[in-house]
């Protein structure tokens, strides 16, 4: 009888314990400390049941009589890929010097890590790039603007930003223009020689690159990362870099081959922050890269070479880069065709050490541009759905919601479009493209 009563009381007590746990979890102090652990567990369960590297996006067949888009049909709500500072320069490119020192390690570099924060690679690297020019702020000052996250009052500042998985280059560049006294140039198609030339001229370079790391399942997964390049050793064919993620990450050596191999996955994008009084020196060192159209054509040329010379995941990146370069040149139908080839290759990639780079659409939005401006709205919607629900534990990518909303709007599904624009703003209250889209519809967030 006693055992029976004990068993009954235990069973009756379980619901009470669950209710108590739920109530305690709602207390702000407890919620702030435990929410990320709960989310982490949910992510592990979701990824175990539905491995993100198995998610495949299959482009639809290009419709007959698809109109060829041009720059004139880009609506004002389109997500900017860079600030006005990256517009075509008013002076022609000049030839850059070819003779470089054998070794350069720039003085004045202040190392900043990304530890103790969530997805802080962007803010940490931008802080290093600005502090090189004696900017007085810190990484949190930057994150509050470019990585605000969901403004949940029950969460502290650090936890609010956890949902934002990535900071785009244009967000970082806009911060420089809007929040500091410095200028910025963002270009594609860089190479190791360009890095050495800029460093020898006194300008460190911020690049976006990929790298591979074993995740919690033991699989090697591809991720995006920023890297601050501050020196080089020509004889050793090495670069001196500041890596905000690694421990230790200060003044590391990276081979020229390793640099190219990681840089490839972001179309050799580079960013230069500089004070206005050094603009003439920077422009001279950039040479033809000063012209953004030239740099995109250069990147296009590199991708076409690598399509013929690379294989596997690197061939996928080459096709993806070709699409990105066509987007930058506003050649959207050609871009869509390149992305079609990239996604076809993606589906053929295996798992293991060559795992599919399922995070690619967290960091780059070129395919949305290409398919949208080729009137392939269903492909925009399907790609956004795959990205939001099959490659990430929670749908927290504001750019994907924005572009799906634009596709819904073009297809006449205004209600769905408004819902997506509002969700994009909820995820990032400073996301100007979605705010503008709502304003054009006469609505607020």
């Amino acid at each position: 009888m006693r055992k029976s009563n004990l068993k009954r009381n235990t069973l009756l007590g379980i619901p009470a314990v669950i209710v108590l746990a739920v109530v305690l979890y709602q207390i702000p102090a407890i919620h702030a400390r435990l929410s990320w652990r709960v989310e982490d567990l949910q992510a592990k369960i979701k990824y175990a049941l539905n491995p993100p590297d198995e998610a495949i996006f299959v482009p639809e067949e290009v419709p007959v009589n698809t109109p060829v888009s041009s720059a004139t049909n880009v609506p004002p709500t389109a997500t900017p890929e860079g600030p006005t500072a990256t517009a075509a320069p008013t002076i022609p490119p000049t030839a850059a010097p070819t003779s470089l020192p054998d070794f350069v390690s720039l003085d004045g570099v202040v190392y900043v890590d990304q530890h103790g924060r969530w997805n802080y690679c962007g803010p940490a690297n931008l802080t290093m790039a600005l502090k090189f020019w004696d900017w007085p702020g810190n990484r949190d000052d930057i994150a509050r603007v470019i990585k605000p996250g969901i403004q949940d009052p029950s969460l502290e500042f650090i936890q609010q930003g956890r949902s934002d998985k990535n900071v785009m280059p244009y967000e970082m560049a806009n911060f420089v223009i809007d929040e500091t006294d410095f200028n910025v140039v963002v270009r594609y198609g860089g190479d190791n020689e360009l890095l050495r030339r800029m460093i020898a001229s006194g300008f460190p370079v911020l690049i976006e690159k990929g790298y591979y790391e074993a995740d919690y399942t033991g699989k090697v997964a591809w991720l995006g990362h920023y890297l601050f390049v501050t020196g080089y050793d020509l004889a050793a064919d090495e670069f001196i870099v500041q890596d905000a993620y690694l421990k230790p990450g200060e003044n590391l050596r990276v081979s020229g081959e390793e640099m190219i191999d990681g840089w490839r996955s972001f179309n050799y994008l580079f960013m230069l922050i500089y004070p206005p009084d050094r603009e003439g020196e920077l422009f001279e060192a950039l040479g033809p890269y000063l012209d953004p159209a030239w740099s995109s054509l250069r990147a296009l040329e590199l991708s076409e070479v690598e399509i013929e010379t690379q294989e596997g995941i690197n061939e996928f990146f080459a096709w993806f880069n070709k699409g990105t370069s066509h987007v930058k040149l506003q050649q959207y139908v050609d871009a869509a065709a390149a992305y079609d080839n990239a996604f076809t290759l993606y589906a053929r990639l295996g798992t293991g050490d060559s795992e599919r780079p399922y995070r690619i659409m967290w960091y780059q939005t070129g395919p949305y541009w290409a398919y949208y401006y080729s009137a392939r709205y269903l492909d925009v919607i399907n790609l956004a759905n795959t990205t939001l629900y099959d490659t990430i534990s929670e749908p927290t990518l504001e750019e994907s919601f924005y572009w799906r909303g634009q596709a819904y709007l073009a297809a006449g599904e205004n209600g769905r479009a408004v819902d997506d624009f509002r969700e994009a703003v909820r995820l990032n209250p400073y996301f100007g493209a979605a705010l503008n889209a709502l304003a054009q519809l006469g609505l607020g967030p």
Side-chain angles (χ1 to χ4, degrees), residues 195 199 204-207 227-231 239-242 259:
L195 292 178
I199 292 166
V205 189
L206 202 164
I207 70 169
L227 194 67
F228 194 42
V229 188
T230 60
F239 289 94
I240 301 169
V241 304
Q242 315 301 318
M259 179 68 72

Side-chain angles (χ1 to χ4, degrees), residues 66-75 78 326-334 369-370 372-375:
T66 296
V68 177
S69 301
S70 67
T72 58
N73 66 6
V74 179
H326 279 305
V327 165
K328 300 305 295 182
L329 294 165
Q330 298 178 330
Q331 299 165 345
Y332 298 112
V333 174
D334 289 340
W369 285 79
Y372 179 83
Y373 290 120
S374 298

Side-chain angles (χ1 to χ4, degrees), residues 1-6 8:
M1 181 65 72
R2 288 180 180 177
K3 289 184 178 180
S4 177
N5 289 338
L6 179 61
R8 183 178 69 251

Side-chain angles (χ1 to χ4, degrees), residues 384-407:
N385 286 339
T386 299
T387 301
L388 289 167
Y389 305 117
D390 297 334
T391 72
I392 194 168
S393 58
E394 291 183 279
T396 59
L397 303 169
E398 65 265 31
E399 293 86 5
S400 291
F401 278 108
Y402 167 78
W403 280 106
R404 190 176 72 175
Q406 287 285 20

Side-chain angles (χ1 to χ4, degrees), residues 73-195:
N73 66 6
V74 179
T77 54
T79 309
E81 289 294 315
T84 55
T86 60
T90 57
I91 63 173
T94 56
T98 56
S99 179
L100 300 176
D102 291 335
F103 179 88
V104 177
S105 181
L106 294 175
D107 295 327
V109 176
V110 178
Y111 178 73
V112 178
D113 67 49
Q114 65 188 74
H115 306 304
R117 300 288 188 273
W118 300 108
N119 311 311
Y120 242 58
C121 173
N125 277 275
L126 184 54
T127 302
M128 284 191 276
L130 286 167
K131 279 191 170 297
F132 180 81
W133 302 108
D134 297 324
W135 182 67
N138 60 52
R139 60 182 187 169
D140 289 343
D141 294 328
I142 293 175
R144 287 187 179 91
V145 177
I146 68 175
K147 196 180 179 301
I150 299 171
Q151 299 300 288
D152 183 346
S154 69
L155 298 177
E156 61 182 355
F157 166 73
I158 296 174
Q159 299 303 330
Q160 284 180 345
R162 185 173 189 267
S163 61
D164 193 332
K165 303 297 185 184
N166 176 55
V167 172
M168 296 284 187
Y170 78 83
E171 293 178 293
M172 297 166 66
N174 284 343
F175 179 90
V176 175
I177 296 300
D178 296 338
E179 305 292 334
T180 79
D181 296 326
F182 301 105
N183 289 340
V184 59
V185 166
V186 181
R187 296 289 186 269
Y188 292 85
D191 57 25
N192 287 351
E193 180 64 21
L194 177 279
L195 292 178

Side-chain angles (χ1 to χ4, degrees), residues 228-281:
F228 194 42
V229 188
T230 60
Y232 68 85
D233 184 336
L234 194 57
D237 187 25
E238 292 178 336
F239 289 94
I240 301 169
V241 304
Q242 315 301 318
D243 194 313
Y245 175 70
L246 295 180
K247 295 181 179 180
E250 188 174 1
N251 295 324
L252 301 181
R253 293 286 189 118
V254 174
S255 72
E257 181 180 359
E258 183 182 349
M259 179 68 72
I260 290 296
D261 197 46
W263 202 4
R264 174 184 297 113
S265 50
F266 283 92
N267 206 18
Y268 303 106
L269 179 148
F270 63 93
M271 182 182 302
L272 293 152
I273 289 94
Y274 62 96
D277 62 0
R278 298 286 299 275
E279 187 166 82
E281 297 172 61

